[in-house]
Amino acid sequence: MNPIEIRPLGHSGIEVPALTFGGNVFGWTVDQDTSFSLLDALVEKGLWFIDTADVYSRWAPGNEGGESETIIGNWLKKTGKRDKIVLATKVGIEMGPEKTGLSAKYIRQAVEDSLRRLQTDYIDLYQAHRDDDQTPLEETLKAFDDLIQEGKVRAIGASNYSADRLRQALKISEENNLARYETLQPEYNLYDRQEYESGLEQVAIEHNLGVINYYSLASGFLSGKYRHPDDASKSKRGQGVIDKYLNERGLRILQALDEVAQARGITPTQVALAWQIVRPGITAPIVSATSMEQLNELVKAAQLRLNLDEVEKITQASSY
């Protein structure tokens, strides 16, 4: 089996494995004990880049936000493995009244809250969770730069920015000698290609940004779990997945994944992730697991190397 490739995260000096683990499941679909087991296994198996956010998982009944960070913090306190992981979190999506956006004042408050929940004195990658057009980019970037100068944050990234706004932010950083966004977190997978490839991809490659894309399995569709309208009952999000993806193009993509997977004796999930790992500019797709079985599949995906014919077959099948 191939080793998991280690890649640079932009110009940050931070290196990460070619797959990112999405920590949104911690405190939502998995409890603390299971989360601890998964985190232990991630370190052991070589997928030690963990991405979370302050707002995870505020949407779940009974939660108020901060659950994922709190569980990671409890695990760090219990195990002392802070130096064994690269830890990314985010700020900007509403956590309550007056607790939203990317103003300097709120970033300062939010980072202290995240550090407290994570039980650490620094965050490796601190990301703007989404653009805030009510706050000048320069104010946001200066606030992030201050955190880097203070040693509370090692690098910063942008999530859910348009290509134009990302270019603008990079230009402001350069002109004002401020820390720049080293990473981009866009939605990207075999089905949802067009938005990223039509603008953001060029910005990322041009500026050598690390790209850690989310929804890398299209909410589970690319695993092959949803192939018929009746499969909607397989999960709470099943109907939404089927409404969006179960169409002629979606089925064409699944067929190509099936053909490559069957020829190799592997799974569509592994093929779908391996295709992203070799895409231009993509550093480490984000994907989650809620069990050891799923986690082992992610490890195999990170170790998989597709050949040129396989990549071309899948690229053609998913063309838009």
Side-chain angles (χ1 to χ4, degrees):
M1 197 56 80
N2 297 303
I4 296 173
E5 192 181 340
I6 305 300
R7 297 174 160 183
L9 207 50
H11 289 142
S12 66
I14 299 169
E15 294 190 322
V16 296
L19 213 53
T20 311
F21 189 84
N24 59 321
V25 294
F26 301 143
W28 176 31
T29 50
V30 293
D31 61 17
Q32 179 161 289
D33 286 348
T34 308
S35 300
F36 280 17
S37 300
L38 288 167
L39 285 160
D40 286 337
L42 286 165
V43 171
E44 182 193 327
K45 294 173 186 294
L47 294 182
W48 33 262
F49 183 25
I50 318 292
D51 176 78
T52 187
D54 55 4
V55 75
Y56 297 164
S57 49
R58 192 166 182 256
W59 58 83
N63 284 2
E64 54 185 33
E67 287 80 15
S68 174
E69 287 185 335
T70 298
I71 284 175
I72 293 169
N74 290 342
W75 175 78
L76 288 173
K77 184 181 182 186
K78 181 187 175 193
T79 62
K81 290 182 178 173
R82 179 64 186 90
D83 62 339
K84 303 291 186 198
I85 64 167
V86 171
L87 183 54
T89 193
K90 311 182 201 76
V91 56
I93 290 184
E94 187 178 355
M95 286 285 281
E98 309 290 312
K99 297 174 82 172
T100 190
L102 297 172
S103 69
K105 183 183 176 188
Y106 180 57
I107 286 173
R108 173 64 62 180
Q109 178 189 344
V111 77
E112 295 301 340
D113 288 344
S114 285
L115 288 167
R116 187 186 70 252
R117 285 189 293 262
L118 290 164
Q119 302 191 53
T120 181
D121 52 9
Y122 71 98
I123 292 161
D124 294 297
L125 177 65
Y126 200 39
Q127 301 158 96
H129 206 155
R130 67 175 170 217
D131 193 7
D132 172 12
D133 59 9
Q134 302 302 303
T135 302
L137 285 166
E138 192 170 346
E139 178 183 336
T140 297
L141 291 161
K142 175 71 171 69
F144 281 143
D145 187 83
D146 288 345
L147 296 179
I148 290 175
Q149 300 301 326
E150 293 165 24
K152 291 181 176 177
V153 168
R154 292 177 67 196
I156 56 170
S159 180
N160 300 305
Y161 273 54
S162 69
D164 286 347
R165 286 282 283 180
L166 183 58
R167 275 190 196 280
Q168 242 180 301
L170 291 164
K171 189 168 182 237
I172 286 169
S173 291
E174 190 175 6
E175 288 173 349
N176 295 277
N177 198 28
L178 295 170
R180 68 163 205 165
Y181 288 136
E182 292 294 349
T183 62
L184 168 66
Q185 188 167 144
E187 178 177 0
Y188 186 63
N189 56 59
L190 269 166
Y191 191 101
D192 302 296
R193 290 176 54 183
Q194 192 166 359
E195 188 177 349
Y196 171 72
E197 291 180 8
S198 64
L200 285 165
E201 182 179 63
Q202 189 183 348
V203 181
I205 292 171
E206 199 179 302
H207 293 273
N208 191 27
L209 304 184
V211 179
I212 51 176
N213 51 297
Y214 65 88
Y215 287 168
S216 56
L217 289 174
S219 300
F221 177 74
L222 298 173
S223 72
K225 181 177 175 179
Y226 305 97
R227 296 172 181 271
H228 188 274
D230 293 347
D231 292 334
S233 61
K234 287 186 174 179
S235 74
K236 287 178 184 173
R237 63 186 181 181
Q239 192 58 56
V241 175
I242 280 167
D243 291 346
K244 181 174 181 181
Y245 298 114
L246 194 66
N247 51 44
E248 189 182 343
R249 180 165 169 257
L251 290 169
R252 195 170 68 235
I253 293 168
L254 287 186
Q255 185 180 345
L257 291 174
D258 285 344
E259 287 171 8
V260 173
Q262 284 162 13
R264 288 275 204 119
I266 52 179
T267 67
T269 293
Q270 291 165 36
V271 179
L273 293 172
W275 178 86
Q276 290 169 64
I277 289 170
V278 298
R279 288 297 291 166
I282 298 292
T283 306
I286 301 170
V287 65
S288 297
T290 57
S291 67
M292 286 303 159
E293 185 184 9
Q294 290 176 357
L295 180 54
N296 287 330
E297 185 162 27
L298 302 188
V299 173
K300 288 174 185 168
Q303 294 170 325
L304 179 60
R305 306 284 189 269
L306 296 177
N307 63 43
L308 289 175
D309 289 344
E310 290 167 332
V311 170
E312 184 58 26
K313 181 190 193 100
I314 299 162
T315 304
Q316 288 299 322
S318 63
S319 62
Y320 48 89

